[in-house]
Amino acid sequence: MKKIDRSLIALLLIYSFMHGVLIFLHDEKQVFWYVYTGLLLFSSLGYVFYERNIESKRLFQSIGTGLIAAFIIVFIYTVLLQFHQAITFNGLLREMIKMGVYFKWQLIITLIVAIPLHELYMRALLQDRIMQYIHPIAAIIITSVMSTALFSYAIPLNTIIMIFIVQLVISISYVYTKRLITPIMGEICAIVLLIMIFGR
């Protein structure tokens, strides 16, 4: 088996630290957004391990893949909504409020700061490193579970399942292009589309 390099160990230590903080504050759901955003800023230390994939696809193709991922996420959400009313958009908004997202500026910060940092860490750093040791499909599943697990302290199971599905779509899109812009574009556009369609 290939020897695990220091960068992956460091990334896993950062991930463990994030879980440790979230476990310690698991009873303080109303400040989850603040804590999680702060942890993402901390996780940006992992940027020192970032190496852009020179063989990645063209930029416009990467953006296009992200947009396709966004539409797939919206489609999946729309289908699941027909079978499980517990994941209504208003229900998701109520969960966000419970986590401390009270104001529009917090949503804006999530879109322009938290999501890019989350994708930098989970996709361009952690998933990339894990794929060096195991099959890409296994890496997709593992990083999707790891990404979803960070939210498990503040939201119900039905929402966790939805987030896991979103992370799977985003992870697959990243494997295809190997460009950070793809998962970032996918998540941001999916959120904007969901707000436009269901947030009336």
Side-chain angles (χ1 to χ4, degrees):
M1 181 178 178
K2 185 178 179 182
K3 184 179 179 181
I4 298 178
D5 62 12
R6 293 180 180 179
S7 62
L8 180 56
I9 293 174
L11 292 171
L12 292 174
L13 287 174
I14 291 174
Y15 180 80
S16 299
F17 173 79
M18 294 170 72
H19 267 290
V21 173
L22 293 173
I23 291 172
F24 181 73
L25 297 172
H26 73 279
D27 290 327
E28 307 293 335
K29 292 183 180 180
Q30 67 274 16
V31 297
F32 178 86
W33 181 86
Y34 298 95
V35 173
Y36 186 68
T37 304
L39 288 173
L40 286 176
L41 290 172
F42 171 76
S43 73
S44 65
L45 293 172
Y47 186 78
V48 298
F49 303 115
Y50 180 59
E51 298 174 4
R52 182 179 175 277
N53 191 330
I54 298 176
E55 298 178 356
S56 57
K57 307 290 182 180
R58 295 180 180 178
L59 179 60
F60 289 116
Q61 184 175 354
S62 300
I63 293 174
T65 302
L67 291 173
I68 292 171
F71 283 112
I72 291 174
I73 291 169
V74 172
F75 174 76
I76 292 174
Y77 173 81
T78 304
V79 172
L80 290 178
L81 190 59
Q82 308 306 312
F83 298 96
H84 204 318
Q85 292 300 314
I87 58 170
T88 61
F89 189 76
N90 288 334
L92 294 176
L93 289 180
R94 284 194 293 271
E95 292 300 328
M96 290 182 67
I97 291 173
K98 290 179 183 178
M99 293 188 293
V101 183
Y102 304 106
F103 307 104
K104 290 181 179 179
W105 63 263
Q106 292 174 298
L107 182 57
I108 293 173
I109 289 177
T110 298
L111 292 176
I112 65 176
V113 177
I115 288 177
L117 286 177
H118 179 93
E119 292 308 318
L120 167 65
Y121 178 77
M122 294 305 304
R123 236 60 64 184
L125 297 175
L126 195 56
Q127 184 172 323
D128 257 0
R129 290 302 188 283
I130 292 176
M131 283 194 299
Q132 295 176 8
Y133 301 93
I134 60 177
H135 193 277
I137 294 178
I140 286 171
I141 295 172
I142 289 172
T143 52
S144 296
V145 170
M146 292 176 71
S147 180
T148 305
L150 293 172
F151 298 94
S152 62
Y153 303 98
I155 57 178
L157 179 61
N158 58 318
T159 308
I160 289 175
I161 293 173
M162 182 64 202
I163 290 177
F164 174 69
I165 294 172
V166 169
Q167 293 303 310
L168 280 177
V169 174
I170 293 298
S171 294
I172 292 170
S173 69
Y174 176 74
V175 169
Y176 178 69
T177 66
K178 294 293 181 63
R179 284 246 186 172
L180 186 57
I181 187 65
T182 300
I184 292 175
M185 182 68 66
E187 283 207 52
I188 292 177
C189 288
I191 291 173
V192 171
L193 286 171
L194 287 172
I195 292 174
M196 291 173 61
I197 298 171
F198 298 98
R200 299 172 184 175

